[in-house]
Amino acid sequence: MKLRWPKVTTSDRNGSEADETSRLAPAVGGACTFLAGVWLILSSFVLDHEYTGGGFDGYWNDVLVGIALIAIGSAPLVEPRAASWWSSVPPVLGFWLLVAPFVLEYNDGTPAPRTTTSDIAVGAFLLLIWLVIPISQAGHSRGQ
């Protein structure tokens, strides 16, 4: 008795890969967003936030943005379909993190280069992740 394996055609394989990628992309984006939020909160205690301007300084900025990123990042991990409308918020927060050191004057008085670098890096990371994910999903939906 011979075992017969089902034949998988190229179109079946590409279709299932596209389906898997479209389901996995929001979860990966959510996980990256969640980890960026965790880093922002931890960096408030690790980096030189005590030197970041007066009033609403880098410490509170990073704590509040970190909490928002954790909440937004966990949404696609819990329920990907219901969390799709949150996908526009991480790029906005990423852009805010890019400009926050200059708007909130982190380096006014005593310089805070580690906090500035951290916020710019996390902002660029968020923009990259959330701008690449829709592009990759569009490429897979076209069959590329």
Side-chain angles (χ1 to χ4, degrees), residues 46-121:
V46 175
L47 301 178
D48 51 10
H49 281 77
E50 65 269 9
Y51 302 121
T52 56
F56 193 79
D57 57 9
Y59 173 83
W60 287 110
N61 180 61
D62 285 359
V63 167
L64 293 175
V65 172
I67 290 170
L69 289 174
I70 288 173
I72 293 166
S74 61
L77 299 174
V78 174
E79 183 59 43
R81 290 169 291 171
S84 63
W85 66 277
W86 285 99
S87 65
S88 62
V89 177
V92 172
L93 291 176
F95 179 75
W96 167 249
L97 287 170
L98 287 174
V99 300
F102 309 104
V103 172
L104 298 177
E105 299 175 338
Y106 285 7
N107 296 304
D108 192 29
T110 306
R114 293 183 293 175
T115 302
T116 302
T117 303
S118 173
D119 281 7
I120 290 173

Side-chain angles (χ1 to χ4, degrees), residues 3-26:
L3 293 175
R4 294 186 185 196
W5 297 99
K7 290 185 180 181
V8 178
T9 63
T10 306
S11 63
D12 290 342
R13 190 176 322 144
N14 288 339
S16 65
E17 287 175 9
D19 291 342
E20 184 66 26
T21 302
S22 66
R23 285 185 288 141
L24 191 59

Side-chain angles (χ1 to χ4, degrees), residues 14-15 17-30 76 80-81 83-85 87-88 128-144:
N14 288 339
E17 287 175 9
D19 291 342
E20 184 66 26
T21 302
S22 66
R23 285 185 288 141
L24 191 59
V28 169
R81 290 169 291 171
S84 63
W85 66 277
S87 65
S88 62
L128 178 69
I129 291 297
W130 285 99
L131 294 176
V132 166
I133 286 175
I135 292 170
S136 69
Q137 286 180 335
H140 283 291
S141 66
R142 287 193 311 258
Q144 291 179 345

